[in-house]
Amino acid sequence: MSRVKPDVESWQQKTGMAKRGVPEGLWTQCPECKATVFQRSVDENQNVCPECDYHFTVPGSVRVQQLLDTDSFEEWFTELQPADPLGFVDKKPYAERLKTEQKRTGLSEACIAGKGYMRGRPLVFALTDSNFIMGSMGSVVGEKLTRAIEAATRMKLPLIILSGSGGGARMHEGILSLMQMGKTSAALARFREAGGLYISILTNPTMGGVAASFAALGDVILAEPKALIGFAGPRVVQATVNEKLPPGFQTSEFLLKYGFVDRIVHRHNLRSEIARIIDYCGG
Amino acid sequence: MADASNRRKKVPTPPLPFEKPIFELEKQLQQLESQLDPSPATKDAVRSLRLEITRKKREVFDDLDAWQTVQVARHPDRPQTLDYLELVFDEFVELHGDRAYRDDRAMLTGFGRLSDEKVMFIGQHKGRDLQERTEHNYGMVHPEGYRKAILRMETAARFGLPIVCFIDTPGAWPGPDAEERGQAWLIAESLRDMANLDTPIVCVVIGEGGSGGALGIGIGDHIAMLQFSYYSVISPEGCAGILWKSVEHRDKAARALRFTSRDLMKLGVVDEVIPEPLGGAHRDHRAMATALKGSLIAAIKDLRQIPRDQLVDRRYEKFRRMGVFQET
């Protein structure tokens, strides 16, 4: 299990304080309120800043523990491993990048999927982990999600997908990544025809090809507070019109206002909110 | 130029860098041909120069690299949707608007007739001169454009009309207004809804297949590409900016992304590459249009053989297979 890495160095620079034997990982700085807080108190608060309610990014494995009933999660499709179909090389080869990311995150890919229980309700649960190559969707992410959607269709279970992706469709697998948008959306079309309930949860960040496919297709779409959500990245949007973007642009609150997010839910309440929606829809 | 569509630009477009040797030879040919009462020697020279031009064109265009392909795909004289509506279709009855917000001119929709095939036409249009490009927003579709496309496609399915989609966009419009109106949502819904339509869908990338904006009308039963078009997860400039930290490396990014028609055929993403006239579609609109029309009609006829209740499953299986991974 990996923790959110505290930015001790910038804390030292900002405060001018020397390290003085403080063990690394003990403190972390909240990017929102800039308070220096105990890492443990953040962890115990479901990775939410105890001072200002800022929602830190949560590693996928921790998410599973936070959302699903204790030890109820059965992970599927762990046999799926990424390949390098294009032989893609930028500043370093994609094959090498994959190995580095796997080592760094302890994940084999940016998606975890399986079956679990939430407050006693059985469901199919999947997430994209924004830690692994920006949570971008390549062939493995698309395949795992599609298999999860197909399983939910077969088993007649509610489907919960929690999205976190700053990367959208993964460039390193070229057109094949783009096609995963079509594949997952087509699987959701079938799931919907079969009468399945799909709750999509948007977390910080959910962008690009992930936002423009499965993440946007929930029967109910929930978002964590202040998450960055959108199609084009804010820098691209700004460059397009060459004007300053309004504060709060592309946040959960912005999308709620414009009608694309159904509810903003504090991380502490996600479990109970999801369970309640499942009950309404007869899951 | 081979033909005179009334949309053609008045000022000739300068050659692309790799077209220069061809243009040089063509200039020589023009000079020779302009001679009144040419001698037999001149006639011989004209004949051999013609052969030389053909040889040169073949040499250059048989071996275009990825970045050169992008330049051809973006060539200002390349035929676009409005050109093809004149040259390929026997009739086009435009249907405007998405019934919710406005008429997005980057996405043109309506009834179309191809010989005796009646279809629903959906196509992105970029525009050629500045005024036209502004009107059509350079082919960059807003959310309402996708809503308009979905609406037409649903109408088509209800009345059993095959759908023809022409893809030609640098990407969906990345402006703040598009974000406010749910660009991601409308593209996603279009992907989902296209997957479920029980009518034949033929998609052709005629120029630029820019990412999600292209895929938004790209979930078809038969996916074709014109030879020198490209279809990519990200623009070469965007990819270079992110991975190489500079747009200058766009040619390297173009190579790495493997997005030419040849590459996509190998990757199993497209079903057909429609050959372009020698020297590229921009050199001969009419020849390109004829080839395109033939392909469209053949594809529709083939798809009509498939019972309607099998189309959706067949399309699902097609996209279901896409992706490369290992299973350990």
Side-chain angles (χ1 to χ4, degrees):
Chain A
M1 197 195 308
S2 64
R3 283 179 155 184
V4 176
K5 244 201 144 79
D7 191 0
V8 179
E9 265 179 30
S10 82
W11 173 74
Q12 286 168 343
Q13 278 166 9
K14 277 185 191 118
T15 56
M17 287 166 101
K19 210 167 180 177
R20 268 192 270 168
V22 178
E24 203 160 307
L26 195 58
W27 298 93
T28 191
Q29 194 190 39
C30 172
E32 181 81 7
C33 69
K34 312 291 175 207
T36 302
V37 285
F38 265 121
Q39 181 63 51
R40 197 206 282 173
S41 63
V42 173
D43 288 349
E44 285 170 354
N45 200 29
Q46 297 190 11
N47 305 70
V48 175
C49 174
E51 303 288 329
C52 74
D53 259 357
Y54 173 79
H55 285 48
F56 285 87
T57 314
V58 187
S61 53
V62 180
R63 247 330 162 172
V64 170
Q65 290 178 8
Q66 286 176 0
L67 275 175
L68 298 177
D69 297 347
T70 313
D71 294 332
S72 76
F73 186 65
E74 174 196 329
E75 191 179 349
W76 292 337
F77 323 128
T78 50
E79 69 281 10
L80 295 184
Q81 295 288 329
D84 178 19
L86 308 187
F88 193 97
V89 180
D90 52 275
K91 283 187 169 168
K92 67 175 169 182
Y94 176 49
E96 213 172 277
R97 191 181 294 273
L98 282 169
K99 279 194 196 122
T100 318
E101 287 288 291
Q102 286 173 333
K103 220 169 169 183
R104 188 180 63 79
T105 60
L107 297 163
S108 66
E109 250 291 355
C111 177
I112 299 176
K115 190 194 162 191
Y117 288 80
M118 203 175 287
R119 296 195 158 189
R121 292 155 188 83
L123 43 82
V124 170
F125 178 78
L127 61 80
T128 59
D129 190 325
S130 60
N131 262 320
F132 191 97
I133 318 191
M134 308 272 285
S136 56
M137 173 161 61
S139 298
V140 169
V141 173
E143 182 67 20
K144 278 193 179 185
L145 290 172
T146 304
R147 288 189 188 185
I149 297 162
E150 287 174 337
T153 314
R154 247 187 344 263
M155 299 164 87
K156 299 191 189 314
L157 287 177
L159 170 72
I160 317 292
I161 302 178
L162 181 136
S163 301
S165 171
R170 190 177 297 166
M171 289 176 278
H172 313 76
E173 292 181 29
I175 194 77
L176 296 171
S177 298
L178 192 72
M179 293 302 140
Q180 304 309 309
M181 294 169 63
K183 185 160 107 181
T184 52
S185 302
L188 285 169
R190 283 193 158 189
F191 179 66
R192 190 176 190 230
E193 285 286 294
L197 164 68
Y198 168 32
I199 303 172
S200 173
I201 305 161
L202 313 181
T203 71
N204 188 39
T206 299
M207 302 298 293
V210 165
S213 61
F214 61 88
L217 294 175
D219 293 292
V220 178
I221 301 178
L222 307 178
E224 288 194 335
K226 292 184 183 168
L228 182 75
I229 301 161
F231 179 67
R235 260 181 306 178
V236 174
V237 178
Q238 188 154 348
T240 302
V241 289
N242 200 19
E243 61 189 48
K244 224 173 138 52
L245 301 171
F249 182 70
Q250 290 183 317
T251 56
S252 312
E253 292 73 14
F254 170 91
L255 287 155
L256 185 88
K257 179 181 153 199
Y258 283 100
F260 293 96
V261 157
D262 302 328
R263 280 178 78 73
I264 294 174
V265 180
H266 191 288
R267 189 172 290 161
H268 291 172
N269 302 328
L270 267 180
R271 266 168 65 84
S272 59
E273 285 262 350
I274 294 168
R276 182 160 64 178
I277 293 163
I278 291 175
D279 290 348
Y280 265 102
C281 297
Chain B
M1 290 295 153
D3 64 73
S5 155
N6 52 20
R7 298 185 52 261
R8 186 163 294 290
K9 278 199 328 184
K10 293 178 184 68
V11 191
T13 310
L16 296 167
F18 50 88
E19 286 180 316
K20 274 185 186 143
I22 300 167
F23 272 59
E24 283 304 318
L25 292 172
E26 283 175 340
K27 213 156 87 187
Q28 287 174 31
L29 179 68
Q30 244 176 13
Q31 278 163 3
L32 284 180
E33 283 181 329
S34 64
Q35 285 179 23
L36 291 169
D37 198 14
S39 66
T42 311
K43 280 181 182 165
D44 274 353
V46 165
R47 205 172 305 126
S48 66
L49 202 49
R50 283 224 175 96
L51 289 173
E52 174 66 9
I53 289 170
T54 306
R55 201 189 55 73
K56 193 82 208 169
K57 276 187 188 165
R58 194 159 281 144
E59 183 192 305
V60 171
F61 278 83
D62 274 357
D63 208 24
L64 285 191
D65 69 22
W67 175 243
Q68 289 170 331
T69 304
V70 173
Q71 289 170 279
V72 175
R74 291 177 181 167
H75 196 288
D77 292 343
R78 188 173 177 83
Q80 303 180 354
T81 285
L82 275 179
D83 302 299
Y84 290 129
L85 283 171
E86 263 178 49
L87 298 169
V88 172
F89 287 82
D90 300 285
E91 183 174 64
F92 178 57
V93 183
E94 186 166 6
L95 300 170
H96 297 261
D98 70 332
R99 311 257 180 92
Y101 189 73
R102 64 162 193 146
D103 182 28
D104 189 335
R105 301 305 296 151
M107 184 81 87
L108 305 178
T109 65
F111 297 112
R113 194 164 54 78
L114 287 158
S115 300
D116 45 12
E117 292 286 355
K118 294 184 187 115
V119 303
M120 181 63 83
F121 177 82
I122 313 283
Q124 291 156 336
H125 184 68
K126 297 205 288 194
R128 188 157 289 130
D129 60 28
L130 184 63
Q131 193 193 343
E132 201 198 338
R133 285 179 174 191
T134 310
E135 183 193 340
H136 296 277
N137 199 35
Y138 296 76
M140 291 182 277
V141 179
H142 281 73
E144 51 272 21
Y146 293 101
R147 189 181 295 110
K148 170 173 160 181
I150 297 169
L151 192 65
R152 299 301 168 242
M153 292 196 246
E154 280 170 352
T155 304
R158 283 191 43 211
F159 299 102
L161 289 172
I163 297 165
V164 171
C165 297
F166 280 7
I167 294 167
D168 192 12
T169 179
W173 173 244
D177 50 344
E179 298 294 323
E180 286 171 6
R181 301 202 288 276
Q183 188 69 286
W185 277 257
L186 269 299
I187 291 175
E189 284 163 17
S190 189
L191 302 179
R192 179 191 66 195
D193 294 348
M194 283 186 89
N196 244 359
L197 294 172
D198 62 343
T199 197
I201 305 176
V202 178
C203 304
V204 188
V205 185
I206 59 168
E208 293 191 85
S211 190
L215 186 70
I217 55 165
I219 309 297
D221 303 298
H222 183 81
I223 319 278
M225 278 177 88
L226 301 193
Q227 188 181 0
F228 302 123
S229 61
Y230 79 99
Y231 192 6
S232 180
V233 66
I234 187 169
S235 71
E237 289 87 352
C239 180
I242 296 168
L243 294 181
W244 280 268
K245 313 286 174 211
S246 160
V247 177
E248 276 167 42
H249 296 283
R250 59 196 180 181
D251 56 329
K252 279 186 210 151
R255 246 195 322 278
L257 285 164
R258 302 282 187 100
F259 55 40
T260 65
S261 59
R262 204 181 296 171
D263 295 324
L264 268 69
M265 218 32 208
K266 270 190 223 147
L267 291 167
V269 171
V270 301
D271 305 295
E272 183 189 8
V273 174
I274 304 172
E276 298 197 14
L278 199 55
H282 59 288
R283 302 298 300 273
D284 192 343
H285 288 198
R286 208 166 286 277
M288 186 71 256
T290 305
L292 177 54
K293 185 171 188 171
S295 283
L296 285 173
I297 292 172
I300 293 167
K301 287 214 186 323
D302 283 353
L303 290 170
R304 276 199 192 278
Q305 303 303 310
I306 301 164
R308 275 182 77 175
D309 59 358
Q310 288 174 25
L311 272 173
V312 171
D313 282 349
R314 192 178 165 274
R315 195 179 307 137
Y316 185 76
E317 291 309 322
K318 177 183 176 62
F319 282 87
R320 184 69 191 81
R321 281 192 298 271
M322 290 186 193
V324 174
F325 47 82
Q326 298 172 290
E327 272 189 280
T328 52

